[in-house]
Amino acid sequence: MKTHDCDLLVIGSGAGGMAAAVTAKHAGLDVLVVEKEAVYGGTTARSGGWLWIPANPLAAREGFSDSKEAGRTYLQHEAGNHFDGKRVDAFLENGPAMVDFFEQNTAVKFVLGPQFSDYHPDAPGAMTGGRSICAEPYDGNELGEHIKTLRPPLKEITFLGMMIGSGKELLHFFNVTRSIVSAGYVAKLFVKYLRDLTLHGRAMRLTNGNALAGRLAKSAFDLGIPLWLNAPATELLRDGDRVIGAIVQTEDGPVQVNARKGVVLATGGFPHDVERRRQLYPHAPTGQEHWSPTPPGNTGDGIRLARPLGGNTADEYPNAAAWVPVSRVPWKDGGFGTFPHFIDRAKPGVIAVTRAGTRFVNEGNCYHDFCQALVKATKGMNGEICAWLITDHPTLRRYGLGHVKPFPVPIAHQLANGYLKRGRTLEELARECDIDPAAFVGQVAEYNRHAAKGEDPQFHKGSTAYNRYLGDPTVTPNPCLAPIATGPFYAVQVVIGDLGSFAGLKTDENARVLGENGQPVEGLYAAGNDMASIMGGNYPGGGITLGPAMTFGYIAARHAAGIAA
Ligand SMILES: Cc1cc2nc3c(=O)[nH]c(=O)nc-3n(C[C@H](O)[C@H](O)[C@H](O)COP(=O)(O)OP(=O)(O)OC[C@H]3O[C@@H](n4cnc5c(N)ncnc54)[C@H](O)[C@@H]3O)c2cc1C
């Protein structure tokens, strides 16, 4: 068998793996990254590209008063019984340093989300802005030939393949028919996109997670780190209790990779491991009743590789993954895409109901909380665990709904393919969706009675800073509430998906995998979703997977390089 020698072997090319690789190489280690798929970037390249880092340097520069102590208080509240003080402290201590390191030494740059509220802003230690930072948009030309193997963004959240940045950029898209400035902004981006399509066959202005993955990869390539594609790691090599490398399958046959300082598992968790889903996802009794927008190669390989060394997973977490409601978008070839519903639920004039015709949650709450409420509300109901997002004609054309875009983008094909349901009356819509008509009509009437006054005594939509952040600030008195009154009426069905798994390998504060008797396995690290989330199964804020992924990648690399934390 062929062999390859290095100091650190990184398995997986998402945020966790690439952060570890770049940090290690910068610290003087000889690094190899291996990636199972033909493209690099993993879920990270499909993501929003937000990192949640309390007391981060960008917020400090903008004068936000945040602290590690406040971050700790918040995480203690959020993780409850699953709070792991040592790992949380390592995250809070190293997160800001990691951001500084990347901004100063690499192609990775960030922008601050000044009004991006924590998801439970009324909890102790929470902030209503300043903890979430996003990868700055990036010019794909910087990647040269490597742009061809960067995983593309999730098709469903692009506009005809064009990436739309969150925050201000997205607002311009919503206001395209209302503001000449927005129309000009969008037109300019669209012209550039058409030029890129002609010249490169893809969007070259990378935003969000695609910008993050592109920037991380560029940083790795600049340092001369080799990245093997189509190269799954299939077995770890040990010398006694120490991990000393791995067998990696390549197009030229298996290679024995010897890694003097160790191996970082960063294979992106188990969102496509059907057996683990069956065991751990309450809404998926066979493991199949789940729709994940994560890439198909994330099948829990990191966990499987660590099992023979005693690697244990945090199966006790109340939620084994980061849930998100998704709608299934029919494609022309008969397949389906998954659209994650991050922001439409909070808009004024949108509610969610179950088959029973009634609401079950504050729709503006975060995706993870929405899904938990849905599972509870549908317990005992026959059939698929699902809800419908409901709206009326003016609201649909103002904000869109899921994959349906606002005016002037036509909606006829989404009505024809069944993605969007329509009824001239509420009763008709209920029948279309197999929702209890009488309960539904009563529910909408009850909602409307209060919505006009900006009130929601049932679920208090619009009551938190996070709800309002995603609402429409031009709507008063409550940016998340407006009556559903002017037909025709519309619905999009949502089911449960995930953004990545939480119940990963148990590790210590140095990102070392814990083996038999809870002792760290020498030479074996985990980062990203291969590592048990430090959030204990909860979802405290925008970027709580990528923030820790990059931070623990950074920590793992420094530990392997012998740099004290
Ligand atoms: C639409 C969407 C939006 C999101 N937005 C955000 C956000 O804004 N902020 C946030 O914090 N989180 C977000 N998430 C979640 C976040 O993207 C993931 O949690 C994160 O990217 C996981 O990073 P990772 O490094 O663990 O894995 P990944 O980025 O998935 O990378 C893992 C890589 O390992 C490879 N691999 C698997 N097995 C092997 C093997 N045996 N050998 C070699 N390679 C292997 C995979 O192919 C993959 O490329 C979002 C997710 C989605 C789907």
Side-chain angles (χ1 to χ4, degrees), residues 255-316:
V255 178
Q256 176 179 324
V257 177
N258 303 313
R260 290 176 285 266
K261 302 281 184 188
V263 173
V264 180
L265 300 172
T267 71
F270 60 90
H272 290 281
D273 180 341
V274 175
E275 177 51 23
R276 243 173 112 61
R277 292 198 320 214
R278 189 187 66 74
Q279 289 167 7
L280 297 174
Y281 293 10
H283 58 279
T286 72
Q288 301 289 356
E289 303 83 350
H290 184 82
W291 290 269
S292 181
T294 61
N298 291 25
T299 49
D301 294 6
I303 292 172
R304 265 191 300 279
L305 289 169
R307 289 282 192 219
L309 289 126
N312 245 318
T313 44
D315 295 0
E316 67 279 13

Side-chain angles (χ1 to χ4, degrees), residues 14-16 35-36 42-44 47-48 50 233 268 298 301 499 528-529 543 545-546:
E35 165 56 51
K36 175 184 191 176
T43 320
T44 305
S47 76
W50 288 94
N298 291 25
D301 294 6
L499 301 175
N529 294 343
T545 71
L546 287 171

Side-chain angles (χ1 to χ4, degrees), residues 162 173 176 181-193:
M162 178 167 81
F173 273 80
V176 77
V181 175
S182 294
Y185 183 92
V186 170
K188 212 167 117 195
L189 288 185
F190 204 63
V191 168
K192 172 170 167 31
Y193 172 56

